[in-house]
Amino acid sequence: MTAMMTVFMTINGTETEPLEVPEDLMLLEFLHEYLNLTGTRYGCGQGVCRACAVIHDGPMGARVVPACVTGVAWAHGRAFRTVEGHADRDEEGNVTAVTPVQQAFLDHFSFQCSYCTPGFVAAAQALVERLEVDPVPAEDVENVVLEALNENICRCTGYVRYLEATRDVILATPGLTIGDGRAEGS
Amino acid sequence: MRTVLRVLAGLVLLGVIVAVVIFFGFTGAGPVPPASRDLEALDEETRAEMVSLGEYVAKAGDCAACHESEDGLALAGGTPMETLMGTVYGTNITPSEAHGIGDYSPDDLYRAMVYGIAPGGRRLYPAMPYTSYHAVSREDIDALYVYLMAQEPVEKPNRDADMAFPFNIRPLIAFWNLIYRPDPPEGPGPGLSAGEKLADTGRGAYLVDVLGHCGECHTPRNLAFAKTGEHLGGTVIEGAVAPDITPQGLAGRGWTETDLSQFLSTGLSPQGVMTFRMFPVLSHSTKYLPERDIEAVSAYLAQDMPEPSEPPSDPDAIDAHPEGHRLYVGLCAGCHGTNGSGQPSGSVPMVGNTTLMLDNPLNLQRVILEGIPARQLSGHLRMQEMPAFDATLAEAELEDLSGYLRARWGVDAIAMQDQ
Ligand code: FES
Ligand code: FES
């Protein structure tokens, strides 16, 4: 008999009902099976591919966690953002505007099959929000982007389009960098 | 009267000189047995044989553990070793004339390895494991010499040791040697050159205690940095526990001889995966040992071993440590399993895990906070990365989690079982 526990959390800004779930349920299954939020992808199931990455909004700001190996026992009472929660929506829930990160991925043709994309959206968005608080010199952006997206695996593309898209968003958004990348960059 | 005083003073001075000569004489290098053969006049075939035996001596002796360079050149020097007295850096032991051992004679290498005395009488810090190597056979050192001299010289200067006063006064090591350096045994035997001739436990002892110098980390040291009588009894070194690997210690944590062989040859066994300074021991040394030598090592370590304990498990820990259990299920169970069973090539089992059974929680807590990088073990065996949880866990949570793990499957579960 698996022990049960009652959990609730804030997903994309909305608090869930308290739900009775197995205590060792993983956040990914919770999103899929209990909330019908199926955008978050299941890849390796052991924390190495980041297809399942979601944003945890905690005291340290936005940080990505792999939902496949993060249990509801830890997620309980915390706030998360899934891929469904990034774009603006109208009353009926239709998307009215995507985020700059999402738009850049589209403009750069960053993905093909898109299986990895929700994870990349989470990682790139979390990076943008981290730089809002803690900007870096413009010439370091390429390295910072690589570091932030390095754990996400994509089997279709060469990663470069994801990295370039993220870099362009960061360089084009005032306040994320110190100095002018184009003037100082080589 | 004046003459008498002068004679007296002269005598005292003479006495002091004699004492100093005798003292440094005796604490310098001891007798050096004659070379096993004329190394200047080797035919091609013998030289090739000696190079390959010498390479094996270097691997079994794990020279690279300390003499590796920062950029991974096995013998070019630079690895820092931190002691309470300061930091010493492994030296360049490639045949560079300027920086390495290019001008060493075979006798010089023997003196350095067995007595800790470099050419010119310079005393090596006992971080160089000459108190273990003291019984390396002359044949093995000669083979090692031929091997080392056949390597590419690397022109990389040595880094000076960074020792606190008074440990930076090298001649004082003479006093240390006087007290702590064992005498080399009478005729240490033929060592690895003996091939099949050395009985298994003899070979195991030679590989563990002499060449492998396991005791340099696993044997507790006294305040003078000398190994104590608790041979292989376990201690804390360089910020991590080097566990008790006596037969009693190993059996108490459930190790069998087969587990030891598996661990030494692949870096992984039901008890866990190599971490901290033990991982490089796999990649530089033990994974190269042929099965026969691995078995000799395990047989020696498990000599007269009591019946190994069953892996402890105490389900009551769940109720006794609710916070720790919640953290385990929320952060660890996704990989290590709710029941602690682990996943092949992904995560080690918690059931039977040796780190949980150590008295000191240091290694457990460091692994949780720092994680373990993804690693190529031996052959095709890999282990995926364990992430670091330092940014996730508050100090009290770390205590809760490690307390739970030790009570569920570790040292405290053993204590409950024994009640
Ligand atoms: S599915 Fe979670 S990291 Fe791969
Ligand atoms: S676009 Fe197919 S896996 Fe990344």
Side-chain angles (χ1 to χ4, degrees), chain A residues 3 5 23-26 45-48 50 60 68-76 78 151, chain B residues 318 325-327 329-335 338 343-346 384-385 387 391-393 397:
Chain A
M5 72 181 288
E23 65 160 7
D24 59 354
L25 189 76
M26 291 298 132
Q46 51 187 49
V48 288
R50 301 282 150 160
M60 316 265 294
C68 67
V69 289
T70 303
V72 292
W74 184 79
H76 173 60
R78 297 176 196 267
E151 288 193 90
Chain B
I318 298 174
H325 174 68
R326 195 182 55 79
L327 287 165
V329 196
L331 294 173
C332 320
C335 291
T338 310
Q343 288 169 12
S345 296
Q384 85 175 48
E385 175 193 2
T392 312
L393 292 172
E397 291 178 313

Side-chain angles (χ1 to χ4, degrees), chain A residues 28 41-53 66-69:
Chain A
L28 183 64
R41 300 278 165 66
Y42 180 86
C44 63
Q46 51 187 49
V48 288
C49 75
R50 301 282 150 160
C52 66
C68 67
V69 289

